[in-house]
């Protein structure tokens, strides 16, 4: 039986246009537009979805950290051929899934109560894209940013798989965590900060990232979603172009 007292209980804060999940008043974990519940409202989530520029049609997508389910809902709606598994350790977070319009489990979408690090170390089959956005009331748990965790992430991916990690840029161990990802993936990483500099999204792959980058239109999305994603995806493209320039300038 799960010990509910072992996990911080989040709360929901509502305005006339949004619903947000918080552990503390000072930090938003997730925010949903009540009129557009599938939209990605926070810039860092739009950056994380930039993985589609490297892996346009993953067969199996795993997410560690549910939060308000922004990316899970987005992928469930816009990627109908992808099997999605979301791992969340906090039962209080999962209990709010209906409040955030997270779809029910079915044959291609599952939310499971489990420890993300333990899940990854025993992943039953290779993953195409692994999205890590796991935070609790104290920040990012050590188990989700250790060298072992990133090594397990690398091992769990398909040969052409991709890891996408959300890191708090101001965290005192930010550079250490980023270096651990680089070590696990032999330096094949790309960092992209969000617009206000609060979060940095790290993309990592076994294969050369710049070669896998495929700029594509946003035609698969409706007009409003295209407008939402365009600035973030342009930031990913600029970062890739910078990586290519650096590679060409290297002796």
């Amino acid at each position: 039986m799960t010990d509910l007292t072992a996990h911080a209980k989040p709360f929901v804060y509502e305005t006339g246009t949004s619903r947000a999940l918080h552990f503390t008043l000072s930090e938003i974990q997730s925010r949903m537009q009540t009129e557009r519940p599938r939209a990605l409202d926070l810039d860092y989530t739009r950056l994380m979805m930039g993985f589609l520029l490297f892996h346009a049609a993953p067969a199996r997508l795993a997410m560690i950290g549910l939060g308000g389910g922004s990316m899970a809902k987005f992928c469930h709606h816009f990627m109908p051929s992808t099997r999605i598994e979301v791992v969340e350790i906090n039962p209080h977070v999962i209990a709010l899934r209906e409040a955030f319009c997270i779809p029910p489990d079915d044959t291609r979408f599952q939310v499971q109560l489990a420890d993300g690090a333990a899940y990854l170390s025993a992943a039953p089959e290779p993953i195409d894209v692994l999205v890590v956005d796991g935070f609790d009331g104290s920040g990012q748990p050590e188990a989700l940013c250790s060298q072992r965790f990133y090594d397990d992430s690398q091992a769990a991916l398909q040969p052409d798989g991709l890891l996408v990690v959300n890191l708090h840029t101001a965290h005192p161990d930010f550079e250490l965590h980023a270096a651990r990802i680089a070590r696990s993936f032999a330096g094949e990483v790309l960092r992209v900060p969000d617009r206000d500099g609060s979060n940095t999204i790290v993309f990592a792959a076994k294969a050369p990232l710049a070669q896998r980058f495929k700029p594509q239109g946003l035609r698969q999305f409706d007009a409003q979603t295209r407008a939402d994603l365009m600035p973030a995806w342009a930031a990913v493209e600029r970062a890739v172009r910078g990586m290519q320039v650096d590679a060409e300038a290297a002796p």
Side-chain angles (χ1 to χ4, degrees):
M1 180 178 294
T2 301
D3 180 6
L4 297 180
T5 64
H7 301 281
K9 192 171 184 178
F11 62 92
V12 177
Y13 179 80
E14 295 195 53
T15 69
T17 59
S18 68
R19 184 176 300 152
L21 185 145
H22 292 250
F23 284 108
T24 66
L25 279 174
S26 61
E27 291 192 1
I28 295 175
Q29 298 296 316
S30 183
R31 188 171 62 205
M32 177 183 78
Q33 300 174 26
T34 50
E35 293 298 315
R36 299 177 62 222
R38 298 191 191 99
L40 295 174
D41 193 52
L42 298 178
D43 187 55
Y44 89 86
T45 62
R46 298 170 184 176
L47 277 178
M48 293 191 86
M49 285 305 305
F51 73 72
L52 290 170
L53 296 168
F54 301 93
H55 205 315
R60 184 175 181 228
L61 170 66
M63 295 184 173
I64 295 179
L66 175 65
S70 297
M71 287 182 289
K73 289 181 295 184
F74 186 92
C75 293
H76 178 267
H77 180 69
F78 288 108
M79 300 164 60
S81 299
T82 299
R83 187 155 52 96
I84 303 164
E85 191 166 14
V86 186
V87 180
E88 172 59 54
I89 196 172
N90 190 333
H92 300 299
V93 171
I94 295 177
L96 293 172
R97 65 185 294 173
E98 291 186 7
F100 286 91
C101 304
I102 298 169
D105 291 353
D106 57 28
T107 55
R108 71 176 186 89
F109 181 82
Q110 299 269 328
V111 176
Q112 64 170 280
L113 177 64
D115 179 284
Y119 161 84
L120 199 59
S121 67
E125 56 184 289
I127 298 165
D128 294 295
V129 176
L130 173 62
V131 176
V132 180
D133 187 23
F135 290 83
D136 58 24
S138 301
Q140 191 167 19
E142 177 59 30
L144 298 185
C145 50
S146 68
Q147 191 67 62
R148 168 70 183 275
F149 176 78
Y150 294 129
D151 287 348
D152 285 344
S153 297
Q154 197 267 7
L157 291 173
Q158 294 275 17
D160 63 346
L162 185 73
L163 171 68
V164 189
V165 183
N166 176 30
L167 297 178
H168 275 177
T169 311
H171 192 286
D173 289 329
F174 167 79
E175 289 294 344
L176 173 62
H177 297 162
R180 287 173 178 169
I181 299 173
R183 188 175 302 117
S184 295
F185 286 84
E188 201 57 50
V189 299
L190 179 72
R191 301 187 195 182
V192 188
D194 66 4
R195 283 184 291 187
D196 66 8
S198 299
N199 300 72
T200 294
I201 307 309
V202 181
F203 300 87
K206 298 179 181 181
L209 272 170
Q211 294 179 18
R212 296 186 50 194
F213 180 72
K214 296 179 180 179
Q216 56 184 317
L218 299 166
R219 290 186 296 275
Q220 70 267 42
F221 302 113
D222 59 86
Q224 185 58 63
T225 301
R226 289 198 297 271
D228 290 344
L229 291 174
M230 197 172 298
W233 285 24
V236 175
E237 182 167 1
R238 286 194 298 272
V240 172
R241 299 304 181 206
M243 173 188 280
Q244 293 170 331
V245 168
D246 290 344
E248 291 171 359

